[in-house]
Amino acid sequence: MVVAIALFGPLTAPAQAATELTVYRSPTCNCCGHWVDHMQAAGFAVEDVVTDDMDAIKDQYGVPEALASCHTALVKGYVIEGHVPASDVQRLLSERPAILGIAAPGMPMGSPGMETGDRVDPYTVVSFSANGDTATFAEHL
């Protein structure tokens, strides 16, 4: 009689590599650092690039002036502008729409990185395309 003994646990799929995200931000902006922390906590591998010329970054990546915020990120060919929740970025990467990116215009209170006590203002995450089209991507109430 032959007895087989399992020396190893069940086979599992290898761990999925973290999605790489590059964030451009001003050296004086603390809320951008908090957003970086939010993205890392959601499993993104973040390259944090500090620059004094955010206007040039926004111009280079086609961020419409009306949608601008304090930091600009790049992930898998998309532009992420401002305090967009990680869940919206994950949805964007899952759905892969034909857009340039998504933005949380301004600096909405209560958005990731902009937490202040219990205050949470409603805000909209907007999609934008290279030709200037915009649409609602997500509502946060």
Side-chain angles (χ1 to χ4, degrees):
M1 178 165 125
V2 175
V3 177
I5 300 173
L7 298 177
F8 303 99
L11 294 176
T12 58
Q16 189 173 18
T19 301
E20 293 182 13
L21 179 95
T22 301
V23 179
Y24 296 92
R25 66 181 182 91
S26 164
T28 60
C29 189
N30 289 330
C31 65
C32 298
H34 295 302
W35 187 79
V36 166
D37 294 342
H38 166 76
M39 297 305 287
Q40 289 172 326
F44 288 87
V46 178
E47 178 185 359
D48 189 8
V49 180
V50 177
T51 177
D52 287 320
D53 196 356
M54 286 304 301
D55 290 337
I57 297 295
K58 292 174 192 323
D59 288 345
Q60 179 179 351
Y61 294 109
V63 176
E65 189 174 327
L67 301 182
S69 184
C70 52
H71 58 268
T72 303
L74 307 174
V75 60
K76 295 195 178 244
Y78 288 106
V79 178
I80 311 300
E81 179 68 12
H83 293 270
V84 174
S87 59
D88 289 351
V89 176
Q90 291 161 337
R91 180 180 143 216
L92 173 73
L93 296 176
S94 172
E95 294 177 3
R96 304 288 302 166
I99 59 173
L100 185 57
I102 56 177
M107 297 170 70
M109 294 303 296
S111 62
M114 289 295 297
E115 297 91 349
T116 302
D118 293 335
R119 181 176 170 188
V120 179
D121 293 346
Y123 65 99
T124 301
V125 172
V126 178
S127 66
F128 59 97
S129 64
N131 67 5
D133 290 342
T134 60
T136 298
F137 185 81
E139 295 280 348
H140 297 277
L141 305 174

